[in-house]
Amino acid sequence: MATGWGERPATGTGGSGTEWLPALDVPAPERQRRWTVLLRWLLLIPQFVVLFLLAVAAFFVVIAGWFAALFMGRLPDGIFSFLGSVVAYETRVNASATLLVDRYPPFAFSVPQYPVQIELRATPLNRLAVFFRLILLIPAAIVATLVRSGWVTLSWVFWLIALILGRLPAPLYAATAAVVRYSLRLNAYTLLLTPAYPKRLFGDEPVPAEEVHSGTRPLLLDTAAKVLVVLFLLLGLVGQIANSTVDYDSDYADNITDHSAGAVAPDHF
């Protein structure tokens, strides 16, 4: 799929033997209406409800796809189309929620005119990698969790900047797009839509002008944007450590309380 979700490409097409990574197309930073920035997450509540329902459906569909991929070495066309549509839908909502675009995402799978698009290419799957997919995705899932947690920690700052300026500055836009694109690639890998492991969190290499498709293809991060991505990772790591420490201290205090109560309470016999 290049723009929207169209007919599934023939297996093995792509023009070269290089690995194809799911691509994200988002327009370059544009001015946004301040009132939509102010109410962005409130306005997206209906979309979050739809995403939850789609996630439930995708869970059962991907289980069927996992068994099919083990035998066929690829996803059946119908499963590939549905799961790809779910990923595209989620990516559009994520792009809106992270202030990359101002236009409200439609309640539809096929939206070729919407400014946020993804491209997936159906390619054969390694059966061994399919079998161990839940184990293989753990490192990428950890990275995605950290970088998304870090972004959420600073999201109120980005929201305030976008509210004041009416747009996201270029470094914030690029760093945020890197997070959204990495999430897209992890989702596609998890749902067996690609054999390509999620990568290039810190952006792409420059390409000739005629090969530029959008503001995120290629995704170019300057020094400030890369520093922000590193900051996301660090904040996410600190947050995870802090949560683990709080949970441990809480469990320890509960154990102490239970033991103390047991020591001073009279025996029933």
Side-chain angles (χ1 to χ4, degrees):
M1 56 185 287
T3 55
W5 186 263
E7 185 177 354
R8 178 181 177 181
T11 298
T13 60
S16 70
T18 59
E19 180 182 57
W20 170 260
L21 285 165
L24 171 67
D25 286 309
V26 180
E30 299 174 340
R31 294 200 63 81
Q32 302 191 35
R33 294 165 294 177
R34 288 181 172 84
W35 75 268
T36 64
V37 174
L38 177 66
L39 302 175
R40 181 66 51 91
W41 297 316
L42 182 63
L43 294 172
L44 287 175
I45 288 177
Q47 295 286 358
F48 297 145
V49 174
V50 173
L51 277 180
F52 172 78
L53 298 176
L54 288 176
V56 173
F59 173 78
F60 293 102
V61 172
V62 76
I63 291 176
W66 183 81
F67 284 103
L70 280 179
F71 287 98
M72 301 171 58
R74 65 176 180 86
L75 285 180
D77 288 353
I79 292 179
F80 185 94
S81 180
F82 175 75
L83 294 177
S85 296
V86 171
V87 171
Y89 193 108
E90 181 178 6
T91 302
R92 291 193 293 268
V93 175
N94 286 343
S96 178
T98 55
L99 305 177
L100 290 178
V101 292
D102 187 42
R103 184 175 165 186
Y104 194 80
F107 293 94
F109 278 157
S110 180
V111 283
Q113 303 305 317
Y114 192 73
V116 178
Q117 299 291 333
I118 71 171
E119 183 174 355
L120 300 170
R121 295 185 182 180
T123 55
L125 301 173
N126 182 292
R127 290 179 174 85
L128 191 61
V130 170
F131 186 79
F132 290 105
R133 185 59 54 100
L134 288 178
I135 297 175
L136 293 174
L137 63 82
I138 290 175
I142 291 174
V143 172
T145 298
L146 294 180
V147 76
R148 286 188 294 221
S149 297
W151 187 92
V152 169
T153 300
L154 295 176
S155 60
W156 67 274
V157 178
F158 300 161
W159 172 81
L160 188 60
I161 291 174
L163 188 62
I164 294 172
L165 299 180
R167 60 179 178 83
L168 276 183
L172 300 188
Y173 166 90
T176 300
V179 175
V180 172
R181 190 179 72 166
Y182 194 86
S183 296
L184 155 67
R185 290 176 173 175
L186 175 61
N187 289 339
Y189 184 75
T190 302
L191 297 180
L192 306 175
L193 294 168
T194 177
Y197 203 76
K199 55 175 67 73
R200 298 183 188 172
L201 177 61
F202 290 92
D204 305 317
E205 296 296 327
V207 299
E210 60 272 14
E211 296 182 20
V212 174
H213 293 266
S214 65
T216 55
R217 186 152 53 138
L219 179 58
L220 304 178
L221 275 66
D222 59 14
T223 301
K226 291 179 179 178
V227 169
L228 278 173
V229 174
V230 172
L231 183 59
F232 296 160
L233 289 168
L234 292 176
L235 287 175
L237 181 60
V238 170
Q240 293 298 318
I241 294 174
N243 288 337
S244 299
T245 302
V246 170
D247 291 340
Y248 175 80
D249 290 342
S250 177
D251 293 340
Y252 181 75
D254 291 341
N255 289 334
I256 292 296
T257 301
D258 293 340
H259 290 291
S260 299
V264 300
D267 292 334
H268 294 291
F269 303 101

